[in-house]
Amino acid sequence: MFCGVDFGTTNSSVAVSNGERVRILEIDPANDNPTLLPSLLYIARNGERIVGRAAADVYIERNVNREIELKQVDLGISIESYVAAEPDKSRDYRPAETDDDAPREAVRARAMIDPNEPGRLFQSLKSSLRHRTFHGTEAFGEHYQVEELTAMILRRAKEAADAVAGKPVDTAVFGRPVRFSEDAEEDAVAERRLRVAAQIAGFKDVVFFYEPVAACVEYAIGAERRQRLMVVDIGGGTCDVCVMEFGGAHGPAARLAESRILGVAGVPVAGDAIDKEIIRAKLFPCFGSRSRYGPSMLPLPQFLFNTIADWQNLYRLNTEENINWLIASEMSSDQPRAVRALRCLIRNNYGYPVAREVELAKKRLSTQLETDIEIRHKDIQIGERLERAEFAHIIEHMLERMLASIEEAEKTAQTQPQEIDYVLTTGGTCLIPAVREMLDARYGSARLLQRETFTSVATGLAIVARYV
Ligand SMILES: Nc1ncnc2c1ncn2[C@@H]1O[C@H](COP(=O)(O)OP(=O)(O)OP(=O)(O)O)[C@@H](O)[C@H]1O
Ligand SMILES: [Mg+2]
């Protein structure tokens, strides 16, 4: 049996093939679409680990809407010796503030902790694979390397493959984006980490294959005529493009052997970044980004808002100092309700539901011309209308970067748009009308072929697995 694993930023899927037929496996019974495993991990205080849709449900049930009290604890060690001994962990600790002339011994390691936190949710782990300085994180006294966290999600794919094979599946073809990062070194770090994660999950031999090329194989393995194809795969974390020549030879093996990659390109700009951009444009003002406070009518500090878009770190703002400061600024604010909403957001750790609602609104705009972003929770009373045209405007600069990738792939392939036979689209973000319009304008709708949005990459990887 041959196995292909698509570890996605948002969704993961696994496909197996017996050499003739490809089957997408059901890996998350709790999800609306059981063939997709949301790439989410929840680690509870007692060490329990939950992956997929259930991870999000449990996080919301146990963690959201909880009054958080952050405590500063002295770790009882000097920051220098600590950092020297275990550099990986230093990111989670901050030294106490001291002035530069103070004796160095005074620098003690302190951590802000949330002593009642029931559990932590990890999202978009694939995007953190590339961050050289992010090695992992501390959760409830245990250190987890990012590879281990990733492996916890991949293990579900492994178990599903083992179950259908009736024995351990040792070899798998894993997808990888064309560019995990625009920085070559970061890109190499990410691939290395994903390999280690796959091995921790139990796959002994791991072969990597470009995700958009896999989507191309899925389409072209049956093509009797040789064609010049472009694949545009835009998911949660990356926009990947490839130009290929495929098909025409006799039989799948020969077709694959004679296929040619003419050009690839990619940028780490996709669904996650789009969600953050909507939050920035539509919700920052609802939380007071344009408000002024105090006698000099100053704006609120920007870092408060950047953390709203980064909900996983929102809890860090929940210090007594910040909350008291927000109470004081609300009193002198020209928009007290907005500042109160911000305090409620931070106090109730409500960032994840906000991010979820924004993502849902974005998805609704793929079929509707307008929608309301509705967030109602205690002092947060937001009802923001978002129209499709305004949404397209908000993400215009991102579409430009995607288009630049497409142009780059064409350029390396020395191909003009009119020489492309078909443009295959896949990945959830390709469902956005503005993305389709961008492709339409360049290639014309007759040449756009929408492939299976969430599973064409895994299918292609399982096909390829037979031949590598
Ligand atoms: N109907 C829709 N309209 C707009 N966006 C959508 C829609 N459905 C899903 N998305 C977005 O698509 C993204 C997920 O797509 P997909 O599952 O293809 O990504 P992925 O494979 O996990 O990520 P990547 O390939 O970048 O690692 C998310 O950002 C999601 O919000
Ligand atoms: Mg993908």
Side-chain angles (χ1 to χ4, degrees), residues 332-349:
S332 64
S333 171
D334 59 350
Q335 292 179 20
R337 278 194 15 214
V339 180
R340 200 173 321 135
L342 177 60
R343 176 156 57 92
C344 176
L345 176 82
I346 296 171
R347 204 95 182 95
N348 292 276
N349 195 25

Side-chain angles (χ1 to χ4, degrees), residues 6-13 126 177 211-212 233-238 240 426-428 453-455 457-458:
D6 176 16
F7 173 56
T9 312
T10 315
N11 298 297
S12 297
S13 50
K126 188 178 178 183
E211 289 162 11
D233 173 6
I234 316 178
T238 51
D240 284 308
T426 187
T453 303
F454 300 106
T455 51
V457 171

